[in-house]
Every structure is written in C-alpha cells, then in structure tokens.
Amino acid sequence: MSQNAGHGMVTMNDVARLAGVSKMTVSNVVNNRDGVGDVVRQRVLEAIRRSGYRVNVSARTLKSGRTGVIGLAVPEIGLPYFGHLAAHVIEAAGRQGFHVSIEQTGAAAAGEADAIAHSRTLHFDGLILSAVALDRPDEQLGDAGYPLVMLGEQDFGGRFDHVAMPNEEGTKAATAHLADQGCRRIAIVTGRVLDDVNMVTRRYRGYLAALAERGLDADPPLLFPLNDASMEAGRDAACRMVDSGLEIDGVVAVTDTVALGVLRGLADRGLRVPGDVRLIGFDDVPESRFIVPSLSTVAPDHRWMAERAVELVAERIRAPLRPTGRYVAPFELMIRESTR
Amino acid sequence: MSQNAGHGMVTMNDVARLAGVSKMTVSNVVNNRDGVGDVVRQRVLEAIRRSGYRVNVSARTLKSGRTGVIGLAVPEIGLPYFGHLAAHVIEAAGRQGFHVSIEQTGAAAAGEADAIAHSRTLHFDGLILSAVALDRPDEQLGDAGYPLVMLGEQDFGGRFDHVAMPNEEGTKAATAHLADQGCRRIAIVTGRVLDDVNMVTRRYRGYLAALAERGLDADPPLLFPLNDASMEAGRDAACRMVDSGLEIDGVVAVTDTVALGVLRGLADRGLRVPGDVRLIGFDDVPESRFIVPSLSTVAPDHRWMAERAVELVAERIRAPLRPTGRYVAPFELMIRESTR
DNA sequence: TTGTACGCGTTATCAT
DNA sequence: ATGATAACGCGTACAA
C-alpha cells in the first residue's frame, strides 16, 4: 500500500514502517536469517504479504556483485538441437539457483564475440557459449577468470573450460556402422573443412579414420559441402550428390538437422532410405525417432553436457583461477530404420 | 587496472581518477551526453579502454527502476514451435532494446503462475506468457498495470493484452481444405476438450464448423485425444485411430509436432500419406517443409506475433493503464504433399 | 564545462 | 533480539 516516490515500488523501508521495525529486521526475515523473534517475524511477514513487497534484485545485486544470471549463447534457438540443449541448460541452471539469459549469435564470429562482451557488460555471473565460428577469442577475453564455458563445438585448446561433443569418436562410430551394414561408398555431407579447431574438421577426421580402418577409400573425395547446417542446405547437398552420378550407398550427415534435409533431397531424386542408400546423423534430436524412416544417429548425452557446463560455471565462480578442464560427453549410437 | 575493494570491479570512480576528472564527466561520456570537451572526452574514453570499465547495469537499474529485460515463458523451449517463436521474440525485443530471459513452464498451470511471480520478483520490465494451462491468473495478477502479454494460446477474455493464433479460422480452413481434396471422413487428433478458453477447444470448434459447412458429420466423434502435444502422443493417437477400425480418409492434427507423430503412427500401421489418408497440421514449423511427405499446415505469421507481443509490452510500459487489446495473427494455408 | 551532494533498495558491521 | 549507519555504483539536480 504505502509506496515510495521513486518508481511506485514497495521497499523494505515501507515494510519496516508498516511492521514497526527497522529495515534491517525486514532484511533478516526476508533472507531467513535467525536472530529474529517469532512475534516480530510474523509481524513482518504479514506486512510483506499486505504490502505486496518483493525484494529488489538490482539492489541486492549492487551489494553482492552477483546477478544470479548466466548467459547462454547459441547460434539460433529455433534449431531443434539448440532448443533442446537450451532446455537442459535452463533446468540445470535452475537447480543451481541461476537464471538463464539466451543470446543468439547467428552462427557468426561477430555474434559470438558480441555475446561475450554482452555477457560481461550485463554482468552475467558466467557465460556458456556454444561457439561454431569464433576461432580466436583471445582479445575479447580480457579477464582470464571470467566464467566462460565453451559448449559443444569449437575447441580452443585448453584456454577455456570446455564441454566437448564426441565429434571424432562419434562420427567414426557412425561411419564404421555404415560399413558394418555393407556400405562400400560412403559419402559425407558437412560444412567446409577450414581450420583445426572446427567441429566440422573433427567430424570429418572421424569419418576418414573409420574409412581407413575398414580399408575403404574416398577417392574422389565423397565430400558434399554445406554453407550452413540447415535442412535446406542438406537437401541441396543431397541433390548435388545424386546429380554427381557418383556411386554412393551410405551417407554420414554432420547433424540430424542436415540429415533431415538430406532425406528430403534423396526423396526428391527418387532414392529410398535405407533401400538405395543408408543415412546416419549426429545429435539425436527428438524428431529423429519419429520421422519416416527413423534416423540412425550419434546420441551425445545432452543432459550430461548441460549439467557439466553449468557446474563448470559454478566452480569457476568459486575459484576463478583454477586450471581449465576439458570434458567429452559420452555418446551412444542409436540404430534406427535409416541404416537397417 | 585500478580496482575497487568491493568485488574486483572497475567503477566510474576508478575511471574518473584515472582520467583526472569527476565521475560525473565519465557518466556523461558513457551516455554520449554533450557538455564534455573533446580533449576530456578522449581522455576519458582512453581511461575506459585501459581500465576495462563497464557500466554496472544493476546500479543503473536501481536508479531507473527498469531492468531492460523482458521475460518469455513458454512450455518447453525444446519443442520446435516454441524454439522458433522464441527466436523471433528475442530478435524483436533486441530491436526495441530489451533482453529476453526465458522461463520454461512445463505446460503446467503451476509453472505458468510461477513464471508470472518470478517475472515480477526479478523486476522484469514485462512478461510474454505463452500460456497453455493457466485458466484464471487473477490472483497472481495483483498489479493491473504490469506489462503481461499473453501469446498464442489461452484467451482470458480481455483481461490482458493478447496476441492470438487464428485457432478457429485456421483449423476451419485446414478442415475445409481436406474436404476440398475429397475427404469425407475427417478425424481430428487433439488434446482433451476441457473448457472455453482452451486453444484445443477453439481448434476443435473450427474443425466442427468446417464439417458442418460441408455437410460432413463426425458421428461417432472422430476425435482422438492426446495427453500432451508431443510427437509420441501423436503417434499413439494415430495407432489408436487405425486400430479403431473406423473408416477415415483425412486427419487434422492440432499441431505440426503432433502431426509428425501421427505420420509416424500411420507408417507403423502401414498406411500411406496422402495415398490412404491425408494429413494436415498447424504451426508450420521449419521441419514441415522438409519431411517426407512434406506437411500441409496452417502457417500463422510467427514473426508478426513476436513483434506484436514485444510492441504491446513496450506500449504498456509507456502507458500502464491503457485498455487491453486482442490481436489475431494472420495465417496462410500451406498446401504440401500430405494433402495432395 | 565540470564538480558535489544525495538518493535508489539492500546488506554488513557494529552497537545497543 | 533489534536498530543505526555506512557502503555498493550510478544518475539527477544543482552549484560552481
């Protein structure tokens, strides 16, 4: 009821007046500290209820220096994989008492650098960055102790805490599985292989490793490049693949999202999966179980990744200068209709 | 470099000392106000750069009473539809200078009520709530002027600003389209029809209206209920539908996500789409264009909805007591392979 | 053009 | 057990 002049907000002072105590006592009640008599506590609680008071998080933050918010920067929250991942991060963060503010980077290095700057400007307690483009965030870093955790994609060689995908191992297992099913001419649909830290590069390596192990070769290279990791790009690549006239009986797609597009492209060209060509993806997005044919895929443990990332942020807040760690998510090969 | 005792943070005072000016001058430079000489301005900017100073948003917020953050509460960010929608909301909010904090409600009334309480506790400047379960948020409301915008689903009859989906009209058009394609026994796969404000109810009404208009009847009711709007539930419903033995040549699915499950269930039972049965969804999630067969669907303008919702929040911040409005998103019927 | 004093709402410290 | 006072970092109003 009694309101402050400022912004129509009920403050601790208002509550204190209403309950006939000092605002310090109100603070103690609000924060469940002891040293407050039962009668007074009840009186204060009643005053809080009646006035509709809520703690002002900004003021608390100003004192504590902590916002209780961690940022999550992903290329595009609308992509199934990142939406799925974000859901896990939000839950894990909630369990640790953090809120999550989501930023979209547009899969561009500039967006990712912005997200880091932004996170610090807004004084987020930490940032989980799902980087796919940035390759040298040295300059933006500045403070080596800022809780910045890389999630999933790029690997910056120990400069940051990093929760990695089993890129190489997973793709190798996927490729080997295709070989086990009798495929001899296995193509890969992926991004352009550019540098060393790239997720694309690592998955490509896993693919090559499996081919080598099985004595299969890929000459001419059965690599069909993408401009981005969209369904549309996947479809286009599949069409190019078929139109190339090369003999191909198995396809490794760099992500499930791309695989969905590949599936579409193959259908456009009249090829059947798994009859004419087998197909395997990476990520195990929820859709993969339900599409027809259901999609075989590499299933990293997303929940594990999200939890680990949030834990790492929390740990680094506690100990800003402890050495960084790298953790690779466990994965499972989901065998479904597309490779039967 | 020079740091404050508090939390290892560089403050305006530090910058002022470093530049040999008062902190007010620093403030003026930071906020691009004029009344600062060019030489001094440069000196201050240099000091900011060197010290790595960043404005403390909490302190600014404490003064202004505004956090610059709006909340977005959705059932589950991992579902394609909500991820997609969130992407648009984040973009639209960014254009208006807001950040977005995402909350998951788990499609439960309790979660939705929590989101409202939470939003106010954290002093978000507003909240966009994609409610699917809450039916009487009167109690949580409290302050009639709080910028709370309902997005997409439930309709609370004018108590809030509301950006609605074309539920009835869209489903009616979808059903009519099936009829146009020659379907005579059109089923609907949807949630349980409970109350009056429910999205499910409205879509069901649109379906019935179209049937009535075409002189088709649905007796016994060709309604196959879902427990939730998941792909899994869609598949189960489709299986029940086929197993019921009822003659059915068209299916309206309450959402695209459900339709994906239905597609799977029909495949499990050996039925082909559109050969044996035609299928149409609602939402036009990105996947719909790419699956095989591509999914006909009702495509509301998601970008429009997100922009409208953010605008409404902004308007209500400016004028807390202006009358609420209700806006229905335009939609388009996307005709694809599943109803050819 | 620049500086000073004060208040925003909360919490830590110290006193009673 | 409770209260007074002084920060936290920034912005406003006013003075110089």
PDB file of all heavy atoms in Angstrom, chain B residues 170-200:
ATOM      1  N   GLY B 170      -8.120 -20.926 -38.602  1.00  0.00           N
ATOM      2  CA  GLY B 170      -7.080 -21.749 -39.219  1.00  0.00           C
ATOM      3  C   GLY B 170      -7.500 -23.195 -39.343  1.00  0.00           C
ATOM      4  O   GLY B 170      -7.354 -23.826 -40.399  1.00  0.00           O
ATOM      5  N   THR B 171      -8.014 -23.724 -38.252  1.00  0.00           N
ATOM      6  CA  THR B 171      -8.408 -25.133 -38.280  1.00  0.00           C
ATOM      7  C   THR B 171      -9.592 -25.348 -39.211  1.00  0.00           C
ATOM      8  O   THR B 171      -9.704 -26.372 -39.883  1.00  0.00           O
ATOM      9  CB  THR B 171      -8.752 -25.622 -36.864  1.00  0.00           C
ATOM     10  OG1 THR B 171      -7.726 -25.219 -35.978  1.00  0.00           O
ATOM     11  CG2 THR B 171      -8.879 -27.134 -36.832  1.00  0.00           C
ATOM     12  N   LYS B 172     -10.463 -24.357 -39.252  1.00  0.00           N
ATOM     13  CA  LYS B 172     -11.596 -24.457 -40.163  1.00  0.00           C
ATOM     14  C   LYS B 172     -11.113 -24.517 -41.614  1.00  0.00           C
ATOM     15  O   LYS B 172     -11.559 -25.370 -42.400  1.00  0.00           O
ATOM     16  CB  LYS B 172     -12.528 -23.252 -39.963  1.00  0.00           C
ATOM     17  CG  LYS B 172     -13.779 -23.310 -40.792  1.00  0.00           C
ATOM     18  CD  LYS B 172     -14.725 -22.184 -40.453  1.00  0.00           C
ATOM     19  CE  LYS B 172     -15.871 -22.153 -41.472  1.00  0.00           C
ATOM     20  NZ  LYS B 172     -16.650 -20.900 -41.394  1.00  0.00           N
ATOM     21  N   ALA B 173     -10.183 -23.634 -41.924  1.00  0.00           N
ATOM     22  CA  ALA B 173      -9.641 -23.627 -43.284  1.00  0.00           C
ATOM     23  C   ALA B 173      -8.936 -24.937 -43.602  1.00  0.00           C
ATOM     24  O   ALA B 173      -9.058 -25.475 -44.716  1.00  0.00           O
ATOM     25  CB  ALA B 173      -8.675 -22.449 -43.452  1.00  0.00           C
ATOM     26  N   ALA B 174      -8.221 -25.460 -42.618  1.00  0.00           N
ATOM     27  CA  ALA B 174      -7.498 -26.716 -42.833  1.00  0.00           C
ATOM     28  C   ALA B 174      -8.485 -27.852 -43.098  1.00  0.00           C
ATOM     29  O   ALA B 174      -8.290 -28.664 -44.019  1.00  0.00           O
ATOM     30  CB  ALA B 174      -6.642 -27.040 -41.598  1.00  0.00           C
ATOM     31  N   THR B 175      -9.513 -27.891 -42.299  1.00  0.00           N
ATOM     32  CA  THR B 175     -10.509 -28.957 -42.447  1.00  0.00           C
ATOM     33  C   THR B 175     -11.233 -28.837 -43.787  1.00  0.00           C
ATOM     34  O   THR B 175     -11.453 -29.835 -44.494  1.00  0.00           O
ATOM     35  CB  THR B 175     -11.520 -28.884 -41.288  1.00  0.00           C
ATOM     36  OG1 THR B 175     -10.808 -28.835 -40.054  1.00  0.00           O
ATOM     37  CG2 THR B 175     -12.446 -30.098 -41.298  1.00  0.00           C
ATOM     38  N   ALA B 176     -11.579 -27.599 -44.133  1.00  0.00           N
ATOM     39  CA  ALA B 176     -12.250 -27.371 -45.405  1.00  0.00           C
ATOM     40  C   ALA B 176     -11.362 -27.813 -46.563  1.00  0.00           C
ATOM     41  O   ALA B 176     -11.840 -28.385 -47.553  1.00  0.00           O
ATOM     42  CB  ALA B 176     -12.610 -25.890 -45.538  1.00  0.00           C
ATOM     43  N   HIS B 177     -10.087 -27.552 -46.422  1.00  0.00           N
ATOM     44  CA  HIS B 177      -9.152 -27.960 -47.473  1.00  0.00           C
ATOM     45  C   HIS B 177      -9.172 -29.479 -47.661  1.00  0.00           C
ATOM     46  O   HIS B 177      -9.177 -29.986 -48.794  1.00  0.00           O
ATOM     47  CB  HIS B 177      -7.745 -27.472 -47.140  1.00  0.00           C
ATOM     48  CG  HIS B 177      -6.670 -28.099 -47.966  1.00  0.00           C
ATOM     49  ND1 HIS B 177      -6.568 -27.909 -49.328  1.00  0.00           N
ATOM     50  CD2 HIS B 177      -5.665 -28.939 -47.638  1.00  0.00           C
ATOM     51  CE1 HIS B 177      -5.537 -28.591 -49.795  1.00  0.00           C
ATOM     52  NE2 HIS B 177      -4.973 -29.229 -48.787  1.00  0.00           N
ATOM     53  N   LEU B 178      -9.185 -30.206 -46.554  1.00  0.00           N
ATOM     54  CA  LEU B 178      -9.271 -31.666 -46.665  1.00  0.00           C
ATOM     55  C   LEU B 178     -10.540 -32.077 -47.407  1.00  0.00           C
ATOM     56  O   LEU B 178     -10.527 -32.963 -48.272  1.00  0.00           O
ATOM     57  CB  LEU B 178      -9.254 -32.318 -45.272  1.00  0.00           C
ATOM     58  CG  LEU B 178      -7.905 -32.325 -44.535  1.00  0.00           C
ATOM     59  CD1 LEU B 178      -8.049 -32.962 -43.162  1.00  0.00           C
ATOM     60  CD2 LEU B 178      -6.842 -33.052 -45.346  1.00  0.00           C
ATOM     61  N   ALA B 179     -11.630 -31.409 -47.064  1.00  0.00           N
ATOM     62  CA  ALA B 179     -12.902 -31.705 -47.736  1.00  0.00           C
ATOM     63  C   ALA B 179     -12.780 -31.430 -49.238  1.00  0.00           C
ATOM     64  O   ALA B 179     -13.238 -32.217 -50.074  1.00  0.00           O
ATOM     65  CB  ALA B 179     -14.026 -30.888 -47.112  1.00  0.00           C
ATOM     66  N   ASP B 180     -12.150 -30.300 -49.551  1.00  0.00           N
ATOM     67  CA  ASP B 180     -11.951 -29.951 -50.960  1.00  0.00           C
ATOM     68  C   ASP B 180     -11.176 -31.023 -51.704  1.00  0.00           C
ATOM     69  O   ASP B 180     -11.354 -31.227 -52.903  1.00  0.00           O
ATOM     70  CB  ASP B 180     -11.179 -28.629 -51.084  1.00  0.00           C
ATOM     71  CG  ASP B 180     -12.025 -27.441 -50.673  1.00  0.00           C
ATOM     72  OD1 ASP B 180     -13.264 -27.589 -50.609  1.00  0.00           O
ATOM     73  OD2 ASP B 180     -11.452 -26.379 -50.405  1.00  0.00           O
ATOM     74  N   GLN B 181     -10.281 -31.677 -50.994  1.00  0.00           N
ATOM     75  CA  GLN B 181      -9.475 -32.714 -51.628  1.00  0.00           C
ATOM     76  C   GLN B 181     -10.226 -34.038 -51.720  1.00  0.00           C
ATOM     77  O   GLN B 181      -9.656 -35.050 -52.107  1.00  0.00           O
ATOM     78  CB  GLN B 181      -8.174 -32.923 -50.853  1.00  0.00           C
ATOM     79  CG  GLN B 181      -7.264 -31.704 -50.797  1.00  0.00           C
ATOM     80  CD  GLN B 181      -6.779 -31.307 -52.161  1.00  0.00           C
ATOM     81  OE1 GLN B 181      -7.383 -30.456 -52.822  1.00  0.00           O
ATOM     82  NE2 GLN B 181      -5.706 -31.913 -52.616  1.00  0.00           N
ATOM     83  N   GLY B 182     -11.475 -34.003 -51.278  1.00  0.00           N
ATOM     84  CA  GLY B 182     -12.273 -35.215 -51.429  1.00  0.00           C
ATOM     85  C   GLY B 182     -12.422 -36.053 -50.170  1.00  0.00           C
ATOM     86  O   GLY B 182     -13.035 -37.127 -50.201  1.00  0.00           O
ATOM     87  N   CYS B 183     -11.873 -35.597 -49.062  1.00  0.00           N
ATOM     88  CA  CYS B 183     -12.019 -36.364 -47.824  1.00  0.00           C
ATOM     89  C   CYS B 183     -13.465 -36.292 -47.339  1.00  0.00           C
ATOM     90  O   CYS B 183     -14.101 -35.241 -47.374  1.00  0.00           O
ATOM     91  CB  CYS B 183     -11.085 -35.837 -46.742  1.00  0.00           C
ATOM     92  SG  CYS B 183      -9.335 -35.970 -47.168  1.00  0.00           S
ATOM     93  N   ARG B 184     -13.980 -37.420 -46.869  1.00  0.00           N
ATOM     94  CA  ARG B 184     -15.362 -37.439 -46.383  1.00  0.00           C
ATOM     95  C   ARG B 184     -15.430 -37.801 -44.903  1.00  0.00           C
ATOM     96  O   ARG B 184     -16.390 -37.490 -44.220  1.00  0.00           O
ATOM     97  CB  ARG B 184     -16.172 -38.484 -47.177  1.00  0.00           C
ATOM     98  CG  ARG B 184     -16.073 -38.369 -48.688  1.00  0.00           C
ATOM     99  CD  ARG B 184     -16.860 -37.158 -49.159  1.00  0.00           C
ATOM    100  NE  ARG B 184     -18.258 -37.282 -48.782  1.00  0.00           N
ATOM    101  CZ  ARG B 184     -19.162 -37.967 -49.480  1.00  0.00           C
ATOM    102  NH1 ARG B 184     -18.813 -38.580 -50.593  1.00  0.00           N
ATOM    103  NH2 ARG B 184     -20.418 -38.029 -49.072  1.00  0.00           N
ATOM    104  N   ARG B 185     -14.448 -38.532 -44.438  1.00  0.00           N
ATOM    105  CA  ARG B 185     -14.415 -38.967 -43.029  1.00  0.00           C
ATOM    106  C   ARG B 185     -13.153 -38.379 -42.405  1.00  0.00           C
ATOM    107  O   ARG B 185     -12.091 -38.981 -42.427  1.00  0.00           O
ATOM    108  CB  ARG B 185     -14.382 -40.500 -42.957  1.00  0.00           C
ATOM    109  CG  ARG B 185     -15.543 -41.167 -43.647  1.00  0.00           C
ATOM    110  CD  ARG B 185     -16.763 -41.173 -42.769  1.00  0.00           C
ATOM    111  NE  ARG B 185     -16.486 -41.856 -41.500  1.00  0.00           N
ATOM    112  CZ  ARG B 185     -17.254 -41.751 -40.422  1.00  0.00           C
ATOM    113  NH1 ARG B 185     -18.324 -40.971 -40.437  1.00  0.00           N
ATOM    114  NH2 ARG B 185     -16.945 -42.388 -39.324  1.00  0.00           N
ATOM    115  N   ILE B 186     -13.307 -37.177 -41.859  1.00  0.00           N
ATOM    116  CA  ILE B 186     -12.145 -36.436 -41.375  1.00  0.00           C
ATOM    117  C   ILE B 186     -12.033 -36.519 -39.860  1.00  0.00           C
ATOM    118  O   ILE B 186     -12.946 -36.094 -39.147  1.00  0.00           O
ATOM    119  CB  ILE B 186     -12.230 -34.957 -41.806  1.00  0.00           C
ATOM    120  CG1 ILE B 186     -12.346 -34.885 -43.339  1.00  0.00           C
ATOM    121  CG2 ILE B 186     -11.016 -34.180 -41.304  1.00  0.00           C
ATOM    122  CD1 ILE B 186     -12.566 -33.492 -43.877  1.00  0.00           C
ATOM    123  N   ALA B 187     -10.941 -37.074 -39.386  1.00  0.00           N
ATOM    124  CA  ALA B 187     -10.711 -37.187 -37.940  1.00  0.00           C
ATOM    125  C   ALA B 187      -9.895 -35.999 -37.440  1.00  0.00           C
ATOM    126  O   ALA B 187      -9.266 -35.277 -38.221  1.00  0.00           O
ATOM    127  CB  ALA B 187      -9.972 -38.481 -37.637  1.00  0.00           C
ATOM    128  N   ILE B 188      -9.913 -35.817 -36.129  1.00  0.00           N
ATOM    129  CA  ILE B 188      -9.046 -34.801 -35.527  1.00  0.00           C
ATOM    130  C   ILE B 188      -8.274 -35.434 -34.381  1.00  0.00           C
ATOM    131  O   ILE B 188      -8.821 -36.213 -33.602  1.00  0.00           O
ATOM    132  CB  ILE B 188      -9.853 -33.559 -35.069  1.00  0.00           C
ATOM    133  CG1 ILE B 188      -8.890 -32.485 -34.535  1.00  0.00           C
ATOM    134  CG2 ILE B 188     -10.911 -33.930 -34.028  1.00  0.00           C
ATOM    135  CD1 ILE B 188      -9.536 -31.121 -34.392  1.00  0.00           C
ATOM    136  N   VAL B 189      -6.997 -35.128 -34.330  1.00  0.00           N
ATOM    137  CA  VAL B 189      -6.137 -35.596 -33.242  1.00  0.00           C
ATOM    138  C   VAL B 189      -5.755 -34.369 -32.441  1.00  0.00           C
ATOM    139  O   VAL B 189      -5.068 -33.473 -32.929  1.00  0.00           O
ATOM    140  CB  VAL B 189      -4.871 -36.268 -33.793  1.00  0.00           C
ATOM    141  CG1 VAL B 189      -3.924 -36.631 -32.660  1.00  0.00           C
ATOM    142  CG2 VAL B 189      -5.240 -37.508 -34.595  1.00  0.00           C
ATOM    143  N   THR B 190      -6.220 -34.323 -31.213  1.00  0.00           N
ATOM    144  CA  THR B 190      -6.030 -33.099 -30.433  1.00  0.00           C
ATOM    145  C   THR B 190      -6.076 -33.413 -28.951  1.00  0.00           C
ATOM    146  O   THR B 190      -6.254 -34.548 -28.543  1.00  0.00           O
ATOM    147  CB  THR B 190      -7.121 -32.070 -30.806  1.00  0.00           C
ATOM    148  OG1 THR B 190      -6.835 -30.840 -30.172  1.00  0.00           O
ATOM    149  CG2 THR B 190      -8.491 -32.554 -30.394  1.00  0.00           C
ATOM    150  N   GLY B 191      -5.878 -32.364 -28.132  1.00  0.00           N
ATOM    151  CA  GLY B 191      -5.949 -32.551 -26.688  1.00  0.00           C
ATOM    152  C   GLY B 191      -7.376 -32.781 -26.235  1.00  0.00           C
ATOM    153  O   GLY B 191      -8.304 -32.827 -27.051  1.00  0.00           O
ATOM    154  N   ARG B 192      -7.543 -32.938 -24.957  1.00  0.00           N
ATOM    155  CA  ARG B 192      -8.888 -33.137 -24.426  1.00  0.00           C
ATOM    156  C   ARG B 192      -9.594 -31.792 -24.376  1.00  0.00           C
ATOM    157  O   ARG B 192      -9.030 -30.790 -23.942  1.00  0.00           O
ATOM    158  CB  ARG B 192      -8.810 -33.766 -23.039  1.00  0.00           C
ATOM    159  CG  ARG B 192      -8.112 -35.103 -23.107  1.00  0.00           C
ATOM    160  CD  ARG B 192      -7.941 -35.764 -21.763  1.00  0.00           C
ATOM    161  NE  ARG B 192      -7.063 -36.926 -21.916  1.00  0.00           N
ATOM    162  CZ  ARG B 192      -7.468 -38.097 -22.407  1.00  0.00           C
ATOM    163  NH1 ARG B 192      -8.738 -38.269 -22.746  1.00  0.00           N
ATOM    164  NH2 ARG B 192      -6.624 -39.097 -22.556  1.00  0.00           N
ATOM    165  N   VAL B 193     -10.826 -31.781 -24.809  1.00  0.00           N
ATOM    166  CA  VAL B 193     -11.583 -30.539 -24.863  1.00  0.00           C
ATOM    167  C   VAL B 193     -12.170 -30.266 -23.487  1.00  0.00           C
ATOM    168  O   VAL B 193     -13.084 -30.944 -23.036  1.00  0.00           O
ATOM    169  CB  VAL B 193     -12.706 -30.647 -25.906  1.00  0.00           C
ATOM    170  CG1 VAL B 193     -13.546 -29.383 -25.888  1.00  0.00           C
ATOM    171  CG2 VAL B 193     -12.108 -30.870 -27.283  1.00  0.00           C
ATOM    172  N   LEU B 194     -11.616 -29.270 -22.826  1.00  0.00           N
ATOM    173  CA  LEU B 194     -11.974 -29.088 -21.422  1.00  0.00           C
ATOM    174  C   LEU B 194     -12.830 -27.867 -21.163  1.00  0.00           C
ATOM    175  O   LEU B 194     -13.961 -27.951 -20.724  1.00  0.00           O
ATOM    176  CB  LEU B 194     -10.690 -28.976 -20.593  1.00  0.00           C
ATOM    177  CG  LEU B 194      -9.819 -30.231 -20.618  1.00  0.00           C
ATOM    178  CD1 LEU B 194      -8.496 -29.965 -19.939  1.00  0.00           C
ATOM    179  CD2 LEU B 194     -10.556 -31.372 -19.932  1.00  0.00           C
ATOM    180  N   ASP B 195     -12.291 -26.722 -21.455  1.00  0.00           N
ATOM    181  CA  ASP B 195     -13.000 -25.515 -21.060  1.00  0.00           C
ATOM    182  C   ASP B 195     -13.236 -24.620 -22.263  1.00  0.00           C
ATOM    183  O   ASP B 195     -13.179 -25.055 -23.404  1.00  0.00           O
ATOM    184  CB  ASP B 195     -12.215 -24.780 -19.997  1.00  0.00           C
ATOM    185  CG  ASP B 195     -10.784 -24.557 -20.477  1.00  0.00           C
ATOM    186  OD1 ASP B 195     -10.616 -24.253 -21.671  1.00  0.00           O
ATOM    187  OD2 ASP B 195      -9.862 -24.708 -19.667  1.00  0.00           O
ATOM    188  N   ASP B 196     -13.453 -23.370 -22.000  1.00  0.00           N
ATOM    189  CA  ASP B 196     -13.852 -22.480 -23.064  1.00  0.00           C
ATOM    190  C   ASP B 196     -12.712 -21.676 -23.666  1.00  0.00           C
ATOM    191  O   ASP B 196     -12.786 -21.265 -24.820  1.00  0.00           O
ATOM    192  CB  ASP B 196     -14.907 -21.511 -22.515  1.00  0.00           C
ATOM    193  CG  ASP B 196     -16.214 -21.734 -23.229  1.00  0.00           C
ATOM    194  OD1 ASP B 196     -16.434 -22.875 -23.658  1.00  0.00           O
ATOM    195  OD2 ASP B 196     -16.965 -20.768 -23.376  1.00  0.00           O
ATOM    196  N   VAL B 197     -11.707 -21.431 -22.865  1.00  0.00           N
ATOM    197  CA  VAL B 197     -10.642 -20.557 -23.345  1.00  0.00           C
ATOM    198  C   VAL B 197      -9.540 -21.360 -24.013  1.00  0.00           C
ATOM    199  O   VAL B 197      -8.638 -20.809 -24.621  1.00  0.00           O
ATOM    200  CB  VAL B 197     -10.020 -19.737 -22.190  1.00  0.00           C
ATOM    201  CG1 VAL B 197     -11.084 -18.870 -21.561  1.00  0.00           C
ATOM    202  CG2 VAL B 197      -9.373 -20.636 -21.159  1.00  0.00           C
ATOM    203  N   ASN B 198      -9.636 -22.649 -23.879  1.00  0.00           N
ATOM    204  CA  ASN B 198      -8.605 -23.540 -24.351  1.00  0.00           C
ATOM    205  C   ASN B 198      -8.332 -23.431 -25.843  1.00  0.00           C
ATOM    206  O   ASN B 198      -9.244 -23.357 -26.657  1.00  0.00           O
ATOM    207  CB  ASN B 198      -9.060 -24.944 -24.018  1.00  0.00           C
ATOM    208  CG  ASN B 198      -7.898 -25.845 -23.786  1.00  0.00           C
ATOM    209  OD1 ASN B 198      -7.193 -26.139 -24.741  1.00  0.00           O
ATOM    210  ND2 ASN B 198      -7.682 -26.248 -22.543  1.00  0.00           N
ATOM    211  N   MET B 199      -7.081 -23.453 -26.198  1.00  0.00           N
ATOM    212  CA  MET B 199      -6.706 -23.481 -27.603  1.00  0.00           C
ATOM    213  C   MET B 199      -7.292 -24.708 -28.267  1.00  0.00           C
ATOM    214  O   MET B 199      -7.800 -24.664 -29.392  1.00  0.00           O
ATOM    215  CB  MET B 199      -5.177 -23.469 -27.699  1.00  0.00           C
ATOM    216  CG  MET B 199      -4.624 -23.862 -29.042  1.00  0.00           C
ATOM    217  SD  MET B 199      -4.273 -25.640 -29.172  1.00  0.00           S
ATOM    218  CE  MET B 199      -2.501 -25.653 -28.938  1.00  0.00           C
ATOM    219  N   VAL B 200      -7.240 -25.810 -27.549  1.00  0.00           N
ATOM    220  CA  VAL B 200      -7.757 -27.068 -28.067  1.00  0.00           C
ATOM    221  C   VAL B 200      -9.241 -26.944 -28.426  1.00  0.00           C
ATOM    222  O   VAL B 200      -9.688 -27.374 -29.487  1.00  0.00           O
ATOM    223  CB  VAL B 200      -7.545 -28.183 -27.015  1.00  0.00           C
ATOM    224  CG1 VAL B 200      -8.442 -29.372 -27.297  1.00  0.00           C
ATOM    225  CG2 VAL B 200      -6.079 -28.593 -26.996  1.00  0.00           C
TER     226      VAL B 200
END
